[in-house]
Every structure is written in structure tokens, then in C-alpha cells.
Amino acid sequence: MKRNTILLISVFFICLLSGPVSNAQNRVDRSFPKENLFSLGSYYYPEQWDESQWDRDLGNMAAMGIKFTHFAEFAWGMMEPEEGKFDFAWLDKAVSLAEKHGLKVILCTPTPTPPVWLTKKYPDILIVRDNGVQIQHSRRQHASWSSERYREYVERIVTKLAERYGNNPNVIGWQIDNEPGHYGVMDYSENAQSAFRRWLREKYGSIEALNKTWGCAFWSETYQDFGQVRLPNAQEVPEKPNPHAVLDMKCFMADELAGFVNFQADILRSHISDNQWITTNLIPVFTPVDPVKMDHTDFLTYTRYLVTGHRDGIGEQGFRIGDPEYLGFSNDQFRNFTGNRFGVMELQPGQVNWGTFNPQPMPGAVRMWVYHVFAGGGKFVCNYRFRQPLRGSEQYHYGMMLTDGVTLSPGGEEYVQINKELELLRKAYDPKAREPECRSARRTAILYEMPVHWEVENQKQTPQWKTLDHAQKYHRLLKKMACPVDVISEKADFNRYPFMIAPAYQLLDSALVERWTSYVKKGGHLVLTCRTGQKDRNGALWQELLSAPIYGLAGLKGLFYDHLPQNYHGNIEMDGKSYRWNNWADVLTPAPSTEVWAGYADQFYKGSAAVTHRKLGKGTVTYIAADTDDAALEEDVLRRLYSKAGVKVENLPEGVIKEWRDGFSIVLNYRSDAVSIDIPADAEIILGGRELGPAGVAVWK
Ligand code: GAL
């Protein structure tokens, strides 16, 4: 069946089932009831282990307190060893062994790994790199989302799976694919090239409109028809490709991917029971992944690895603990994609095999990460993976069990401990508990959309600019102030938030400026940061002064930006205190009635505004024009803003995270040293205490 026909039929079915959202809410909550608080799962690959060990392994998994397992996201070759010949006997057995041990099952569609007979017979389904090399069989994520032929094979295997397990009460839900995203490789196959041209035709209507939007008059880039356009490719041009084409390519790829996920979701939904939910597991903030578009799923999950040698963390041992934003930002973002429901589908149980180097996590860190997901409102953690492989890919990757398959790894021991502790939390759970008002009063939204991220990343202008770090810096400061944060998309209702930060929100339109204006007039406190509003949604500068569309809102009259060399710092002054900046500075000309909170203390624009603030209606707009490394300026501005608004905030040590969930206060210590934390004298302490060592956790109510 062709893609469009499937889509139409699916849409029909979805409408018939009267709104996926309300059903979705019920079915996810049915698997993960609120009073159960939190659930633990673990990945198992029956295809990787001797069949005689499955029973033992799943029994051991259940004995540790694990409640569900996760099968088959890479097992297409086992399910369909020859074209059209299906073998599910092994999976039937694994699912029923799980059931025997009281483990529920998440089943996956195996679409990241087409079998070798398929890619050999039809190499046109493979993706092609920017250098023209076609990616071949033997790893994963190598088939093109744009290939109609691939989709036909996908439809068949997904249908078979759904028919077989869609009414199995032990299967609670489905994961589509695995970390869909081609691991960041853009697909330059002919399938993708033609799909891109179709996408452009639909977006622009005429080639003239494309030429105009992409600025093709310059350098004779002008196209005569869509057939001449290719995906922008740095290998095919002597310098960076056209920036508008790059933005369109990322949005197109994200649409192809979301279409691929939604296509599978529709097939599943037309076969499976109403009790089974559908999700996929995403790498957060990734190219070309736009989770907002994967809206045929019931909810979304993410995958995270904190100790991989890539990041220093906090303090001398931080490399063993990880950065709090890694989980914190993702919790706050994924919770908001799909109505307050998310889980973490992969979390490392120990050392991984693919880091820049592979340190052992700090004892306790595995446990703390699980509590971080709990604290962020997650429904579950599914630990990656139960056993450590002995051969093949992922040798050296820790599991819950060590290489002998039966001895718990240190991380495995921590899961056993968490399972016991969850019982204490369940006993203490009070369904009537409500978030303390002092906390709700500081609820802050961070507005983050992938097209904006992609556009800024593509035109950084200075090697010191890091788009996600810029946003996560604000997240970290808000967490220091113990603010509840929601990382939202433009789909969200802004009016739910007393405070909102739009970090480096470079792309906008008049509709967004109007929404912000009305949000502020009603009493919202809006913080805009450097780079905001420079361009329209297609990445064109306005035929006005730079960032002019936000001048009315922010109380500005003009703006230009500046960068400094890496080893040189400029100074900013606020209230007699001096701050250093180095990465990015918007230099502001405020309108007469706008307050200047901070100004540049040197450079040829000495005396110009670096932070402005104005009242508008019942709310305020603050513009933080500089991006600093130490975040001292940004922190003091935020504190001043919340205090002016009469909202009390805390002052936690860096790396100490404090959250509230279902009546529990949870504190986590990502620092390399011990800290003393404030726990009210009358609190009932359930876990930990007032002294928290590195990777320590305290929970009280
Ligand atoms: C993830 C991936 C898993 C596994 C894991 C190893 O990114 O989704 O399949 O490879 O990494 O850490």
C-alpha cells in the first residue's frame, strides 16, 4: 500500500477512535498508575544469548525488582530471516518467559536494522552520506525514511508484529525504531533528493518563491525548476551551502523522520489493543529530530548517557557523575511534549564502551540518575542493558550483570537498592499532596524549538557560541534558584507561566511577538536573550534595523552585536559590580522609558546598555544582551528580576538539584564534594539525610 493511502486510512481510524490524546492518557497511566509512582525496566536481547539462559536471566531480572523488559528493536533479521518467511517462535517464547516471571514487555519495531537480504536486494533503500558513500549493512539506522520501498517492507513487518502481539496482555506498549535520527548522518540518497524536491514544491509553490526566500539572485544561484535543486551538501560546494537551504533541509529531514515514526504508529494503532501504548526513544536535542512532530505516538521517551568522558561535570570527580542538565533539561522538555507523561528508555548502568574515554561512574551515580528522572516527573527508567555482551558490538558495555551473566554489577546492585526504596516511597505517597505555592510562583518556561536551534547552530558566527549550552545555562541558574522549569515549544500555553525565558530565539514572526506581548501585558515576566528576533522563520534578516520586530516589546531603539577573541574579556557593570563577557554581546540602544540594568564598561561602545528592563501592562520584559562563560551576570539579573516581582527563590550550591514531585521533596548532589542541605525540622525523611555526599540523594515529605 502506498504511503498516502496508509496515511488516509490511518487518519480515518484515528478519528474513528475519537481522539488519540484522551485514550492515550488513559492507556499510558494504566501501565504506569500514579499510585505506583515509578517503575523500573531493563533491556534484554534474547537473540544475543543462548536460549537455555533466557529463563534464568529473566528470572534474575524479576528477582531484582525489575517490572518490565524491552525486546526486539534490532531483531528484524531473526523475525524475517528470508523475504516473506517469518519466525516469531523465539519471540513468543521470550514474551511468555517474561510473563512467567511477572515481567511486562515493551516490544519494538525493528526498523533500524533491515536484514541483509533486503538491503542487498534493494540497495536503493540505503542512505547515502554527503560524500556519496552509500551506507552498507552491518550496523543500524542505515535505511532511508524517504524510500517508498523501505516503507513497504516496514509496513509488512510492523503489521505482522502488531497482529501477533497487539492483543497480548503481557505486552504493555510499543517502541518505534530505536533512537531514530540516523545518528546525525544526513541522507543524500536519490530517494531523499526527490522527497526534498517534493517538500520544497509544497512549501514554496513556485521556483520563484524558493529563489526569493533563499536569496538565489546572488552568486547566480537562481534555479529554473525544482528538478535542479539538490539537498545542500558541504561536499558538493566549495564553501558552506546556502543557509536557507540548510534550514529547509533540516526541517525536511525532521518531517521525513516524524512521518516515518507516525506512519509506523498508525499501522500499530490500527491493529493493537486500546491498552497498548506507542512511543519512541529519542536522543534529546538532536539533528534532524523534532519531537513535536511525532504526534501520532502516545508519549515520548528519551535516552541518556551521562558518564562518557565527553563532559567534565562539576568538580574534580564530576566526570564520574555527569552534568545535571543532561537529565534535568530533558526531563523538563520531554514531560511537556506529551501531556506530562514521559519515561527514560535508556540509562547506563555503569561504564559504556563508546565514550571518548570510559570512566567508571561514581558509586551511587546510577541510583541518583534514576531519582533525577523520578524527581522530574518521569514514569519509568528502562535501564540499558541487562547483560554485558561478550562479543560483537557493545563489548565492554556494562549491564546489570557482569560478564558471567549472573553477578550483579555495581549499577545492578544500585537498582536492587532503588527497588526497595521505591516501596518506602509508595508507602509514604499522599495522592492529595499539592505543589507548595512558593514553588509554583517561580515556575518558569524556557522556550525551545528545533528549527530555531538548527538555524543558530548553522550560523554561530563565533566558535565560542554553543546554542544548547546557552539555553542550559539558564536552566542551570533556574535550578540553582529551585525554580520548577518547563522546556516548552510554541504549542504550549504561555499564560501558565509567571516567568518565561526565550534564549537566543533568533527566528520569529509577528504572531509570536504578539503572543509574547499579550503574555506580558497580562502579567508575565519575559526574558529575551541575545540574538533574539534577528530573522524571520526562513532565516532572512528583516528589512528593518537588526532585530527590529522585538523593539516595541523589549523597549529598544537599536542593536548591534560584537564578539571578542577567546583569550580576551570585556567588562559589564551592574549595580557597581563588574562582570566579564567574552562570547557574544548585543549592544543595545534603549528607548527612553526603558530601564538600563547593566552597561558595557569598555570597548568603543562603553556606556551602552547590556541588560534592559521595562514594564509593559502588568508584566515586564528583560533583555539580557551578553552571553558570559561564568553566568554571573545572568544569575544576578535573574535574581533581581524574581525579587522585583516579589517571588522568593532559593540559592542552592551549584550542582545541587532540588525538585518536588507528588508530595516528595527530592535533593540530588551532582558535586564532587559533600554538602549540607536544608530539610525542615518537621519533615519526614525517607531517604538520605541533611549531609549529602557526592551522588547522594535525599527524599522527604
Ligand atoms: C544508545 C542506543 C542503544 C545502545 C546504547 C549503548 O545510544 O540506543 O541501542 O547502543 O546507546 O550505550
Side-chain angles (χ1 to χ4, degrees), residues 14-143:
I14 287 169
C15 297
L16 210 66
L17 290 170
S18 80
V21 175
S22 58
N23 278 337
Q25 288 167 347
N26 298 338
R27 59 174 83 97
V28 178
D29 293 347
R30 263 179 257 149
S31 286
F32 304 106
K34 208 163 171 24
E35 62 282 6
N36 200 39
L37 289 179
F38 200 70
S39 201
L40 300 176
S42 189
Y43 274 64
Y44 191 70
Y45 295 100
E47 67 273 28
Q48 200 177 20
W49 303 105
D50 195 300
E51 203 173 326
S52 64
Q53 296 181 343
W54 299 356
D55 190 28
R56 179 201 72 187
D57 288 348
L58 293 168
N60 285 342
M61 191 187 285
M64 293 176 64
I66 299 297
K67 296 293 183 272
F68 62 91
T69 186
H70 180 284
F71 288 158
E73 75 276 26
F74 302 126
W76 193 341
M78 291 272 289
M79 295 170 186
E80 193 179 358
E82 282 176 52
E83 180 163 6
K85 289 207 176 134
F86 297 93
D87 176 6
F88 293 109
W90 66 276
L91 191 53
D92 290 348
K93 180 172 173 188
V95 171
S96 67
L97 280 175
E99 186 173 8
K100 171 181 154 192
H101 293 292
L103 294 165
K104 298 287 182 196
V105 174
I106 298 178
L107 269 192
C108 305
T109 68
T111 52
T113 49
V116 67
W117 55 257
L118 178 49
T119 51
K120 288 293 171 202
K121 185 168 175 191
Y122 297 117
D124 59 285
I125 70 167
L126 292 164
I127 62 170
V128 173
R129 278 186 197 277
D130 57 358
N131 61 6
V133 170
Q134 189 179 53
I135 297 190
Q136 299 295 316
H137 180 81
S138 101
R139 302 290 288 185
R140 50 187 178 169
Q141 287 285 337
H142 49 296

Side-chain angles (χ1 to χ4, degrees), residues 43 45 73-74 140 175 178-179 183 281 283 303-305 346 348 352-354 384-385 394 397:
Y43 274 64
Y45 295 100
E73 75 276 26
F74 302 126
R140 50 187 178 169
Q175 175 188 300
N178 180 74
E179 286 185 339
Y183 293 110
N281 63 341
I283 303 175
T303 66
R304 265 304 190 211
Y305 292 79
E346 294 179 29
Q348 75 200 91
V352 299
N353 65 320
W354 51 265
Y384 192 87
R385 60 202 320 256
E394 298 187 359
H397 194 299

Side-chain angles (χ1 to χ4, degrees), residues 568-635:
Y568 174 80
H569 283 88
N571 291 293
I572 292 174
E573 266 178 24
M574 180 167 73
D575 290 338
K577 193 170 159 188
S578 188
Y579 303 86
R580 280 149 59 93
W581 76 275
N582 168 273
N583 302 341
W584 188 290
D586 282 351
V587 180
L588 311 175
T589 309
S593 58
T594 302
E595 289 174 39
V596 175
W597 279 8
Y600 292 100
D602 51 27
Q603 311 306 312
F604 68 88
Y605 39 81
K606 183 174 173 179
S608 298
V611 177
T612 58
H613 176 84
R614 71 166 308 206
K615 288 203 181 91
L616 179 64
K618 294 184 183 152
T620 65
V621 185
T622 306
Y623 195 96
I624 306 180
D627 180 54
T628 73
D629 282 340
D630 64 7
L633 172 75
E634 291 92 326
E635 176 165 3

